[in-house]
Amino acid sequence: MDPLSDVFSLLKVDSVLSACIEVRGAWAMRFSGLPHAKFGGVMEGSFWLWTEDGAPPVHLGTGDFFLLTRGQPYCTGSDPALAPVDGREILAACLGPDGIVRHGEAGEKASAAGGRFVFDDDTGDLLLQLLPPLIHVRAASESAAPLRALLELLRLETATAGPGAAVVATNLANMVLVQILRVHLASGVHTPGWLGALADPKIGAALGLMHADIARRWIVEELASAVAMSRTAFTERFKARVGVPPLRYLIDWRMAVAGAALRAGDKSLSVIAESVGYGSDTAFSSAFKRTMGQSPGRYRAAGGYGASQAMARRYAASP
């Protein structure tokens, strides 16, 4: 798999597609912060979205998508000057038998479908801390064509609850997340760490090589030669884009993969060590403890919680 697919596989994204909401007239709703990323697509009309961090409100038009990455409180409404009411109370009170939330009886209509992404452990920080708090994808963007197609599928899926609805909803939501990230990377907006580096032809190719064979005893000269760069130029460019040197990244990714295997609990330490390129349990355990802050045994016993935050912070601090 490519690096982005690898990371998604490791993160085990749990996604939930919400029901469609239709609103009319003057309205404003506030939603409290929750530990997940939130996405939405505007199916008809337009409305505003704003957060409480002082950033200016964002106007969302038909076909636009947004992704809130930090789980922060946010508001939506026909006018940012309106005092918002509790959105969850509105959703609960106005949910119809067909699964559509309808609020307001007169005025211009706006409708949207949305959902959330929950990461089952704190390795989600490896992705989310590299993203801006809000990503806005405009319908007119050339690279947003796949999202426009997904919006129509969202429209159809939220209109009826057919057999297999849960599976379809999850797959649609995951496709939306990947496409939003693709559009964001294609936009040219600076994204730090490994995620932004995927857009660099040279460094992205080197990341792909490492992800394709993480157990290989890579040396910097091999990676540099594979992408037609000198060792020095490659090392400097890799560190500038990713935030850490090439082999540091490789070790970190090995430990992230090993951590996922430890949490799963169905493989021995020796098998895990070999799968990520270590010939002995001792060498693997030492590298794991240096990277994750605790031994493999303690990490497995604790379910992996908390250990990957130090690694996530290292990449979040990338230029």
Side-chain angles (χ1 to χ4, degrees):
M1 292 188 291
D2 63 275
L4 186 57
S5 297
D6 263 353
V7 171
F8 268 84
S9 175
L10 181 68
L11 295 179
K12 294 181 175 61
V13 181
D14 176 23
S15 55
V16 177
L17 183 65
S18 302
C20 175
I21 181 170
E22 296 179 359
V23 288
R24 293 181 181 273
W27 60 278
M29 304 181 197
R30 182 187 185 275
F31 296 89
S32 57
L34 291 172
H36 57 242
K38 168 74 178 179
F39 80 91
V42 184
M43 295 189 292
E44 182 180 351
S46 64
F47 56 88
W48 293 86
L49 180 147
W50 64 99
T51 56
E52 299 174 354
D53 56 5
V58 174
H59 189 254
L60 302 169
T62 302
D64 285 11
F65 275 82
F66 70 88
L67 176 68
L68 290 162
T69 64
R70 306 288 164 82
Q72 68 270 47
Y74 70 98
C75 300
T76 58
S78 58
D79 186 344
L82 295 173
V85 299
D86 190 304
R88 301 194 185 282
E89 292 184 2
I90 296 294
L91 296 184
C94 301
L95 179 63
D98 58 357
I100 298 178
V101 175
R102 295 180 175 87
H103 175 64
E105 298 180 354
E108 292 188 13
K109 175 184 172 183
S111 65
R116 67 180 186 267
F117 303 103
V118 181
F119 301 95
D120 67 351
D121 57 67
D122 61 355
T123 54
D125 288 343
L126 289 171
L127 175 64
L128 296 183
Q129 287 192 20
L130 300 177
L131 297 172
L134 170 63
I135 296 175
H136 176 202
V137 179
R138 298 184 185 279
S141 170
E142 291 184 5
S143 55
L147 279 171
R148 291 194 292 272
L150 286 172
L151 185 60
E152 180 59 27
L153 291 175
L154 286 172
R155 186 197 310 274
L156 294 172
E157 189 59 29
T158 54
T160 58
V167 175
V168 173
T170 296
N171 288 334
L172 274 177
N174 288 341
M175 290 170 68
V176 167
L177 179 55
V178 172
Q179 291 298 336
I180 288 177
L181 293 179
R182 283 179 172 178
V183 173
H184 175 66
L185 292 176
S187 70
V189 175
H190 173 67
T191 301
W194 63 267
L195 182 61
L198 294 179
D200 184 303
K202 300 285 189 180
I203 304 306
L207 288 169
L209 290 171
M210 286 189 277
H211 277 256
D213 190 359
I214 63 171
R216 179 172 171 173
R217 294 181 179 273
W218 289 103
I219 60 175
V220 176
E221 287 81 1
E222 286 180 315
L223 292 166
S225 176
V227 297
M229 295 182 71
S230 71
R231 183 186 189 281
T232 300
F234 171 72
T235 301
E236 291 177 352
R237 186 163 167 175
F238 191 101
K239 187 173 181 179
R241 294 305 305 268
V242 180
V244 295
L247 298 188
R248 176 71 261 174
Y249 175 86
L250 177 61
I251 292 172
D252 283 347
W253 180 243
R254 284 174 170 175
M255 296 307 109
V257 171
L262 288 166
R263 291 193 301 275
D266 57 352
K267 294 181 180 179
S268 69
L269 193 65
S270 296
V271 170
I272 294 173
E274 184 178 358
S275 70
V276 295
Y278 290 85
S280 72
D281 293 1
T282 301
F284 167 69
S285 295
S286 296
F288 190 90
K289 186 172 184 179
R290 284 195 302 271
T291 302
M292 307 297 268
Q294 56 187 233
S295 69
R298 186 178 294 275
Y299 181 92
R300 173 175 270 169
Y305 180 75
S308 63
Q309 289 181 344
M311 184 164 59
R313 284 194 295 269
R314 179 155 63 246
Y315 288 90
S318 302

